[in-house]
Amino acid sequence: MSIELLHIEKILKKIHAAFCLKKHTLPKLKFKKFAPTEKTLKRWVTSEWLEYQAWLFHHELITLADWHNLRQEALSWESHPLISVITPVYNTHIEHLFECIYSVLTQTYPYWEMCLVDDGSTNTHTIDFLLKMKFLDKRIRLKRLPQNMGICHATNTAIDMAKGDYIAFLDHDDRLSPDALYHVAKAIMNEPNLDILYSDRDMLSPRGLRFMHLVKPGWSPETLLSMNYVCHLTVYRTQLIKTIGGIHTLYEGSQDHDLILRAAETNPHVYHIPKILYHWRQHEQSVALNEKAKLYAYEAAVRSIQHAMDRRGLKGKAIEIENLWRGNYRVWLEPPHEDCYEILHVPQVMFKNQLSSFIEQHNHVDKEFIVFLGPDIQFTSIDACKELLGWFQIKEVGMVTGRIVDQHHHFLHAGIVLKPDGTLLRIFQGFNETTPGYMGATSIPRNVSVPDPWCFALRTSLYKRMGGFDKNFVSPYAVIDLALTMLHHGYRLVYTPFARFISDREHLGFDEPFESERSYFQTKWHDFLSKGDPYYNPYLTLNLVDMGLNLDVPNIS
């Protein structure tokens, strides 16, 4: 039994004694009773991975002094949103359940309630423990269901119990970082109109040690059609959840994915907290360790994506990607008629004669869509272009780019990241194209900030509305600039690996230095570049193409 659980047991004995003596008042349990020990804080940042261990000690809350500083800051705020932590419980191992509840009790932000719903547990240890824990703190609320109804029903029951302004979802065997709700509340204080917040997460190994970090991109609606990348920790405005009808029981096992897909359709204000605030536990009964534990969840996810497409009027089909780990999906979107688009094979000299002039002199401006293919870029089949164009069914998508490989099946393009100095990072360039990438980055359709300048499709009408290419550029920076202009006006860009192209070139960098153009580009987009690429987590390296953790990055507050 852990030290923390022994401490709680002592308090529970006092409560039990009070009941036995028929006292009318329970022992007063102040917030400070549940401050973690420094030993606990350090244990909670212990990792299975040596490098990750060092990173955690640099970035995580590990001292009691820091914990108290955040607590005092939270107590000093003039307003404080109440956050309802929603946790359905079913036959949970009490060590895991305790750590889950204890991670809420020891939050630096004290303005929360925890809504526990026991979904008809049959394990007497689980039941007994829950009945004791509800007396531990008045912020812990418990409701027991007479029989097992499933996680969707239990979650809706907990939502109905919630009195908070916001709802945070916490699984019964997982753990929150001690500063999780602090960062959620602080973000809400800074932007009171937020509807959805999500954070980064990692996993707890069967030994209870942290590993397998997942640091996420900014809000990416098209990526959500490929995977539920937000997952844990996710926090919703309570009114939003009630407006969209709570959890739908049709998607048992993938209810979180369905919820975020429906919420995304309300045009919500979303904020990504770039901190690892949630720890997803691996054990034999969890999908985190055993992907076969809940096979029905993947089937439900396909249904939820397909129904999202149907609601949005998108013609196509959702399927699971078979050559990736479970939980990754592909949406095939029906392309436009062939007379709606033109494929332009653009020579190298085009960049010296202006892209706008090239389009006009070839009289292709009357086509609804244009596919640009640069020197030596060839599609492997006509379906590659159709894969690009299908994404234009989504009216907010302004540009689409595809996968490019060389003759040896190595990546030339699997997505581009913009660095603060205006240069480009081609993730996984040179890797074999079977490499799935971090978060499946090379292998799933996802949102990106810019396309490959040698391979992209665009809407002609949007191109005209944006004023065409900036004539100050005579290099591929013209394409990058146009992409950011579209992004600035609320249009999104998509990378799809299913639009596959091939080149006999060894690299796709700019053939000339164009230093003056880079300088102009950096000046023009300084504010955007200084904030970092929105689709690349600030904790990831910009020095290597493998999307590893940046071990030198300063802490992000």
Side-chain angles (χ1 to χ4, degrees):
M1 185 176 290
S2 68
I3 295 174
E4 297 90 349
L5 187 50
L6 287 171
H7 173 63
I8 297 297
E9 284 289 333
K10 290 180 181 178
I11 297 175
L12 289 171
K13 286 180 181 178
K14 291 182 180 179
I15 294 172
H16 180 72
F19 274 107
C20 290
L21 294 173
K22 297 184 179 181
K23 293 182 179 180
H24 297 292
T25 59
L26 294 175
K28 290 185 178 180
L29 303 173
K30 297 181 180 179
F31 292 147
K32 66 180 182 181
K33 281 283 187 182
F34 300 111
T37 65
E38 197 150 304
K39 185 176 181 179
T40 298
L41 292 174
K42 286 185 169 59
R43 181 172 62 83
W44 281 352
V45 294
T46 305
S47 174
E48 294 277 6
W49 296 346
L50 185 60
E51 282 193 346
Y52 188 39
Q53 176 75 77
W55 189 91
L56 288 171
F57 266 76
H58 183 69
H59 291 87
E60 301 277 294
L61 192 158
I62 61 172
T63 70
L64 197 55
D66 289 339
W67 188 96
H68 281 295
N69 286 340
L70 294 186
R71 165 57 62 87
Q72 290 306 310
E73 182 184 342
L75 292 173
S76 72
W77 292 341
E78 292 184 3
S79 61
H80 38 264
L82 177 64
I83 301 172
S84 297
V85 179
I86 301 298
T87 305
V89 178
Y90 180 68
N91 286 342
T92 318
H93 190 289
I94 62 169
E95 287 279 356
H96 296 163
L97 180 59
F98 162 72
E99 193 161 82
C100 171
I101 297 173
Y102 191 66
S103 76
V104 179
L105 284 168
T106 53
Q107 287 294 303
T108 57
Y109 183 77
Y111 305 108
W112 53 264
E113 63 171 1
M114 190 173 195
C115 301
L116 294 164
V117 172
D118 177 43
D119 189 22
S121 289
T122 56
N123 186 312
T124 55
H125 297 294
T126 302
I127 296 169
D128 183 59
F129 187 76
L130 283 172
L131 292 174
K132 289 180 179 178
M133 292 300 284
K134 76 173 183 178
F135 294 113
L136 195 58
D137 190 295
K138 65 181 180 181
R139 295 169 294 178
I140 296 178
R141 302 169 61 204
L142 173 65
K143 183 169 185 177
R144 296 193 63 222
L145 301 180
Q147 61 185 21
N148 181 252
M149 300 290 289
I151 192 170
C152 291
H153 181 84
T155 301
N156 280 331
T157 301
I159 291 171
D160 290 339
M161 293 168 60
K163 299 177 181 178
D165 307 289
Y166 286 82
I167 284 174
F169 292 98
L170 174 62
D171 288 351
H172 59 164
D173 47 7
D174 295 342
R175 192 177 80 208
L176 291 180
S177 165
D179 55 346
L181 300 185
Y182 163 88
H183 289 292
V184 169
K186 188 173 183 178
I188 295 169
M189 297 272 290
N190 291 335
E191 296 185 55
N193 65 338
L194 289 177
D195 298 307
I196 302 172
L197 304 92
Y198 66 96
S199 77
D200 303 331
R201 64 97 173 139
D202 61 12
M203 286 190 179
L204 297 175
S205 72
R207 296 200 301 161
L209 305 181
R210 291 171 59 180
F211 75 129
M212 287 188 69
H213 51 75
L214 190 70
V215 295
K216 307 168 186 175
W219 180 234
S220 307
E222 281 64 55
T223 307
L224 282 175
L225 294 173
S226 298
M227 64 187 305
N228 181 13
Y229 80 94
V230 299
C231 201
H232 304 307
L233 170 70
T234 308
V235 179
Y236 291 82
R237 187 185 295 276
T238 305
Q239 187 56 49
L240 172 60
I241 290 184
K242 293 185 176 180
T243 298
I244 62 177
I247 304 298
H248 286 184
T249 57
L250 178 64
Y251 307 104
E252 187 88 12
S254 188
Q255 66 280 352
D256 295 333
H257 200 170
D258 170 68
L259 183 66
I260 191 66
L261 286 171
R262 286 187 286 119
E265 294 161 14
T266 67
N267 193 29
H269 292 88
V270 185
Y271 181 70
H272 169 225
I273 304 172
K275 282 187 170 293
I276 296 173
L277 302 180
Y278 193 101
H279 315 297
W280 188 18
R281 190 181 301 277
Q282 283 192 344
H283 56 80
E284 285 298 332
Q285 285 72 48
S286 73
V287 177
L289 181 62
N290 180 9
E291 63 180 19
K292 295 181 180 180
K294 298 178 181 179
L295 292 176
Y296 60 88
Y298 308 114
E299 298 170 359
V302 172
R303 291 199 307 272
S304 70
I305 296 168
Q306 186 67 57
H307 290 173
M309 293 168 63
D310 296 342
R311 287 194 305 270
R312 301 172 192 185
L314 302 178
K315 297 179 180 179
K317 185 178 181 180
I319 59 173
E320 190 173 6
I321 300 176
E322 294 183 354
N323 61 344
L324 275 180
W325 53 88
R326 305 299 298 267
N328 290 281
Y329 308 92
R330 174 190 179 183
V331 293
W332 176 84
L333 294 166
E334 185 178 305
H337 295 297
E338 291 187 10
D339 58 357
C340 293
Y341 65 91
E342 188 75 26
I343 300 171
L344 295 185
H345 291 275
V346 188
Q348 174 71 38
V349 70
M350 175 266 291
F351 290 112
K352 298 180 181 178
N353 293 333
Q354 299 295 342
L355 296 175
S356 300
S357 300
F358 182 87
I359 295 175
E360 292 166 6
Q361 74 186 25
H362 285 77
N363 196 30
H364 292 299
V365 290
D366 61 333
K367 295 293 185 179
E368 190 175 355
F369 307 106
I370 299 175
V371 177
F372 286 83
L373 297 179
D376 306 316
I377 306 295
Q378 302 293 328
F379 44 77
T380 53
S381 74
I382 193 62
D383 288 342
C385 290
K386 292 179 179 179
E387 289 281 357
L388 294 178
L389 295 164
W391 285 93
F392 289 124
Q393 283 195 48
I394 302 173
K395 66 181 188 301
E396 295 85 3
V397 172
M399 280 178 127
V400 187
T401 188
R403 169 188 291 193
I404 308 174
V405 299
D406 63 19
Q407 300 289 341
H408 305 289
H409 304 286
H410 293 150
F411 286 122
L412 292 173
H413 173 252
I416 287 175
V417 176
L418 273 177
K419 297 183 183 183
D421 64 357
T423 57
L424 311 181
L425 175 70
R426 292 175 175 273
I427 62 166
F428 294 97
Q429 185 176 46
F431 281 62
N432 189 282
E433 69 169 319
T434 58
T435 304
Y438 187 75
M439 285 185 66
T442 70
S443 308
I444 62 168
R446 62 187 178 89
N447 290 106
V448 292
S449 58
V450 297
D452 189 289
W454 310 103
C455 175
F456 64 95
L458 56 72
R459 297 180 189 269
T460 307
S461 60
L462 184 58
Y463 163 80
K464 292 178 179 179
R465 202 181 316 156
M466 298 295 107
F469 295 108
D470 186 334
K471 292 180 172 55
N472 289 293
F473 295 109
V474 297
S475 78
Y477 268 116
V479 178
I480 305 299
D481 172 77
L482 179 62
L484 294 191
T485 301
M486 289 184 179
L487 204 63
H488 178 73
H489 284 85
Y491 293 90
R492 299 188 294 271
L493 289 81
V494 172
Y495 157 80
T496 173
F498 302 109
R500 184 177 181 272
F501 298 83
I502 194 165
S503 173
D504 58 8
R505 303 177 67 183
E506 293 183 358
H507 66 88
L508 293 178
F510 297 174
D511 290 336
E512 298 182 33
F514 296 116
E515 183 59 33
S516 62
E517 288 199 22
R518 188 191 65 80
S519 179
Y520 170 66
F521 174 80
Q522 185 181 20
T523 300
K524 180 177 179 178
W525 294 102
H526 175 268
D527 289 346
F528 176 90
L529 294 171
S530 64
K531 295 174 184 177
D533 191 313
Y535 300 110
Y536 194 73
N537 192 284
Y539 283 136
L540 297 177
T541 182
L542 291 170
N543 298 320
L544 300 171
V545 300
D546 63 357
M547 294 182 70
L549 279 182
N550 186 349
L551 300 179
D552 300 321
V553 73
N555 196 11
I556 301 171
S557 61

